[in-house]
Amino acid sequence: MRESGVGMRILVVEDDAPLATFVRKGLEAEHYAVDTASDGELARCMALESDYDLLILDLNLPKVDGIDVLRTIRVKKPGLPVLVLTARGRIEDRVLSLDTGADDCVIKPFSFTELSARVRALLRRGPRTIDTVLQVADLELDRVERKVKRSGKNIDLTSKEFALLEYLLRNAGRRVTRNMIIEHVWNLSFDTSTNIVDVYVNYLRRKVDDGFTPRLIHTVRGVGYELACRPEYPA
């Protein structure tokens, strides 16, 4: 199991370890945060206790069958998109999955390109528990399409810059410490000897604040940073 607090969050439930690793690495390369579970019992607990944007669910699972997991999810979290992975090729099995509440089915073996496209399609569809587009003033970040704009102008960000901006936008109007940022964006414990947060904040400022009014990323002395539309704030 992998814990992460950044980006759109996907739970991959698959008992075939090499396949689970293949799917996880592919999704992480596309900047999703991915957790994995190898049995139905663990998957059910994780899906109910944590907030996910999407569940990718194998049907043939130890301990608790995937269909039973799906039934529980549909009762407890009816808005959570579910993409079923199955080696069961019969039409009846796919119909059962869809009738039980799956939003889509992918038959094994599959290409990652197709899986990725289906993931994007499900994430574009509602309902979801959190917004896919985050906005403050004229700054917009699309969490599904991985695009950032300010005043209608496209802004190219690296993967880590995108994750940092997303975290600041999700906490817009709230002061966040360097410790909070490094734990959520880098998934590490804070090291007081590093200035990596300040370095990346400066990278972001050059791209999303320079040449625009008002400046949105503010230093809160003795605390950290805040993203807010407050022109009176010092940069």
XYZ file of all heavy atoms in Angstrom, residues 6 10 18 27 32 63 74 87 95 97 106 147 149 157 161 185 193 201 209 211 218 222 225:
180
model
N -1.360 13.856 -2.607
C -1.281 14.828 -3.673
C -2.049 14.342 -4.887
O -2.035 13.179 -5.216
C 0.195 15.059 -4.075
C 0.286 16.114 -5.151
C 1.003 15.451 -2.866
N -6.376 7.639 -6.626
C -6.980 6.430 -7.176
C -6.585 5.235 -6.321
O -5.423 5.090 -5.933
C -6.526 6.210 -8.634
C -6.985 7.380 -9.522
C -7.056 4.888 -9.180
C -6.445 7.322 -10.935
N 2.462 -8.125 -10.008
C 3.094 -7.454 -11.154
C 2.126 -6.559 -11.913
O 2.503 -5.458 -12.343
C 3.578 -8.623 -12.023
C 3.754 -9.757 -11.063
C 2.651 -9.590 -10.062
N -0.089 5.011 -13.807
C -0.929 6.114 -13.332
C -0.091 7.180 -12.631
O -0.351 8.377 -12.779
C -2.003 5.580 -12.385
C -3.077 4.694 -13.038
C -3.968 4.071 -11.964
C -3.920 5.493 -14.024
N -1.093 10.922 -11.083
C -2.117 10.581 -10.106
C -1.439 10.063 -8.836
O -0.340 9.504 -8.885
C -3.049 9.488 -10.641
C -3.822 9.887 -11.869
C -3.487 9.386 -13.123
C -4.891 10.773 -11.789
C -4.190 9.738 -14.255
C -5.604 11.140 -12.921
C -5.247 10.623 -14.149
O -5.936 10.989 -15.270
N -10.287 -13.268 -0.013
C -10.993 -12.823 1.201
C -12.397 -12.315 0.901
O -13.364 -12.814 1.459
C -10.189 -11.766 1.963
C -8.854 -12.283 2.493
C -8.170 -11.262 3.390
C -6.870 -11.821 3.919
N -6.158 -10.858 4.803
N -21.258 0.834 -3.385
C -22.430 1.511 -3.940
C -23.411 1.939 -2.852
O -24.115 2.929 -2.995
C -23.130 0.615 -4.968
C -22.490 0.711 -6.324
C -22.634 2.137 -6.882
N -21.623 2.434 -7.890
C -20.564 3.190 -7.676
N -20.330 3.725 -6.495
N -19.708 3.438 -8.635
N -10.908 -10.619 -15.770
C -10.526 -11.632 -16.751
C -11.732 -12.483 -17.118
O -11.621 -13.388 -17.945
C -9.414 -12.506 -16.180
N -22.196 -7.714 -17.465
C -23.530 -7.177 -17.143
C -23.736 -7.141 -15.634
O -24.256 -6.160 -15.082
C -24.635 -8.024 -17.818
C -26.013 -7.630 -17.286
C -24.591 -7.836 -19.328
N -21.441 -6.824 -13.350
C -20.640 -5.734 -12.808
C -21.340 -4.399 -12.995
O -21.429 -3.586 -12.066
C -19.269 -5.695 -13.502
O -18.550 -6.881 -13.263
N -13.161 -3.049 -18.008
C -12.049 -3.305 -18.915
C -11.685 -4.778 -18.786
O -11.487 -5.282 -17.679
C -10.833 -2.422 -18.584
C -9.628 -2.829 -19.427
C -11.160 -0.958 -18.822
N -4.009 20.864 -16.636
C -3.739 22.132 -17.290
C -3.898 23.282 -16.301
O -4.732 23.237 -15.408
C -4.699 22.339 -18.470
C -4.479 21.359 -19.619
C -5.469 21.621 -20.750
C -5.245 20.648 -21.899
N -6.221 20.858 -22.992
N -4.152 27.650 -16.246
C -4.314 28.883 -17.006
C -4.411 30.058 -16.051
O -4.923 29.932 -14.936
C -5.587 28.850 -17.858
C -5.586 27.854 -18.995
C -6.886 27.958 -19.791
C -6.891 26.981 -20.951
N -8.145 27.084 -21.739
N 3.770 23.769 -16.364
C 4.400 23.478 -15.074
C 5.015 22.093 -15.106
O 4.528 21.195 -15.802
C 3.370 23.541 -13.939
C 2.649 24.858 -13.697
C 1.666 24.702 -12.541
C 3.628 25.987 -13.403
N 5.829 21.184 -9.677
C 5.225 22.518 -9.616
C 3.703 22.407 -9.639
O 3.001 23.118 -8.903
C 5.708 23.381 -10.783
C 7.165 23.804 -10.679
C 7.696 24.388 -11.976
O 6.998 24.317 -13.010
O 8.825 24.906 -11.963
N 3.279 17.388 -0.565
C 3.725 17.442 -1.951
C 4.863 16.471 -2.215
O 4.910 15.825 -3.255
C 4.134 18.885 -2.332
C 4.694 18.934 -3.750
C 2.928 19.813 -2.196
N 16.954 21.453 7.173
C 18.136 21.900 6.442
C 17.849 22.146 4.961
O 18.706 22.667 4.250
C 19.261 20.862 6.572
O 18.905 19.648 5.917
N 8.445 27.321 -4.584
C 7.507 28.441 -4.518
C 7.991 29.569 -5.424
O 7.198 30.200 -6.143
C 7.322 28.931 -3.069
C 6.599 30.284 -3.049
C 6.522 27.911 -2.265
N 2.595 34.281 -11.177
C 2.407 35.626 -10.619
C 3.084 36.727 -11.433
O 2.526 37.809 -11.597
C 2.917 35.687 -9.169
C 1.824 35.387 -8.153
O 0.642 35.350 -8.551
O 2.147 35.194 -6.969
N 3.985 39.214 -14.020
C 3.250 39.738 -15.164
C 1.745 39.747 -14.985
O 1.013 40.147 -15.898
N 1.552 34.353 -1.486
C 2.068 35.292 -0.486
C 2.888 34.572 0.574
O 2.550 33.455 0.987
C 0.903 36.030 0.199
C -0.058 36.628 -0.761
N 0.227 37.754 -1.493
C -1.311 36.247 -1.133
C -0.801 38.057 -2.262
N -1.742 37.151 -2.067
N 7.194 33.757 9.327
C 7.152 32.932 10.522
C 6.213 31.751 10.419
O 6.128 30.940 11.344
N 3.308 29.911 3.673
C 2.759 30.568 2.489
C 1.228 30.506 2.495
O 0.611 29.689 3.183
C 3.288 29.905 1.211
C 4.777 30.057 1.043
C 5.652 29.045 1.442
C 5.317 31.227 0.514
C 7.024 29.187 1.312
C 6.688 31.382 0.373
C 7.533 30.364 0.769
O 8.894 30.524 0.639
